[in-house]
Amino acid sequence: LLPLCPNRIAVEEVVAHDRVVRFYRPWPACPKFLADWDALSMKVPGATPFQSPHWQCAIGRFGDSLGTMRLVTVHQGEQLLAVVPLQWIGNGRWHTPGRLTTDYLQPLVQPENAAGTWRAILESVRQFAGQTLETITFDLIAADSATREQLESLPASTGFVAKDQVVSSATTIPLAA
């Protein structure tokens, strides 16, 4: 049975270098956090409405109801640096949710010192998932997204190897005014 009023606070907090990584099971409802997330989604170059808390909350409802969602956030002091929705799909596999509902799902990571933020995310996910972590798949990353470059340049110390594979494409057609 699902709880009528689920706990919407972080279920775990990991300190990774100079950042704090928080893991939420159900989507958080804190107005300040949602406002910070919304502001971040408008500041990150190349971000789309699909990365806003409003869209992500809608596509995360199914995983949230199953208890498989994990919202990963990265903070440095009071500043929100990243929001990465992940869903556990079993057998040590994690992926970004919503691949059936939208075209681009790149994680929302502030570009300043993105390498340090990614290192904190990956090290913390490994610690959070423990021995069960096999792969993390970031589905539907736009070809021109900074996420591709950021993930490819990860240091080997994270224990991950990035493999960029194009499995489909979303076509854009510019129309004249």
Side-chain angles (χ1 to χ4, degrees):
L1 295 174
L2 296 175
L4 294 176
C5 295
N7 179 4
R8 301 243 177 232
I9 60 170
V11 295
E12 187 166 334
E13 194 172 272
V14 176
V15 176
H17 308 283
D18 61 341
R19 292 164 173 78
V20 174
V21 181
R22 295 187 181 123
F23 294 86
Y24 295 84
R25 283 209 168 113
W27 293 93
C30 171
K32 181 187 179 329
F33 170 73
L34 294 174
D36 289 347
W37 180 356
D38 199 34
L40 180 63
S41 73
M42 290 189 260
K43 284 192 286 189
V44 172
T48 69
F50 301 125
Q51 293 160 290
S52 73
H54 318 290
W55 185 270
Q56 289 292 324
C57 182
I59 66 173
R61 282 200 176 129
F62 180 69
D64 190 8
S65 68
L66 293 175
T68 59
M69 284 304 282
R70 301 297 183 268
L71 183 67
V72 181
T73 64
V74 181
H75 308 262
Q76 192 170 37
E78 292 295 313
Q79 187 178 17
L80 178 64
L81 300 178
V83 177
V84 182
L86 290 175
Q87 186 168 8
W88 178 74
I89 57 174
N91 296 326
R93 296 176 300 147
W94 296 77
H95 72 87
T96 47
R99 79 175 99 168
L100 298 176
T101 61
T102 188
D103 287 336
Y104 298 123
L105 295 169
Q106 51 264 23
L108 191 60
V109 178
Q110 188 178 57
E112 291 82 27
N113 196 5
T117 299
W118 275 111
R119 188 177 70 237
I121 291 167
L122 295 175
E123 289 173 3
S124 298
V125 169
R126 174 164 275 130
Q127 182 178 340
F128 179 76
Q131 299 298 324
T132 62
L133 180 63
E134 292 290 326
T135 62
I136 302 173
T137 302
F138 297 103
D139 291 312
L140 305 174
I141 306 297
D144 60 349
S145 170
T147 299
R148 286 185 124 85
E149 187 177 307
Q150 292 166 357
L151 288 173
E152 287 174 2
S153 65
L154 286 173
S157 64
T158 63
F160 288 92
V161 176
K163 179 179 147 190
D164 193 349
Q165 179 181 3
V166 177
V167 293
S168 67
S169 64
T171 305
T172 60
I173 302 171
L175 300 176

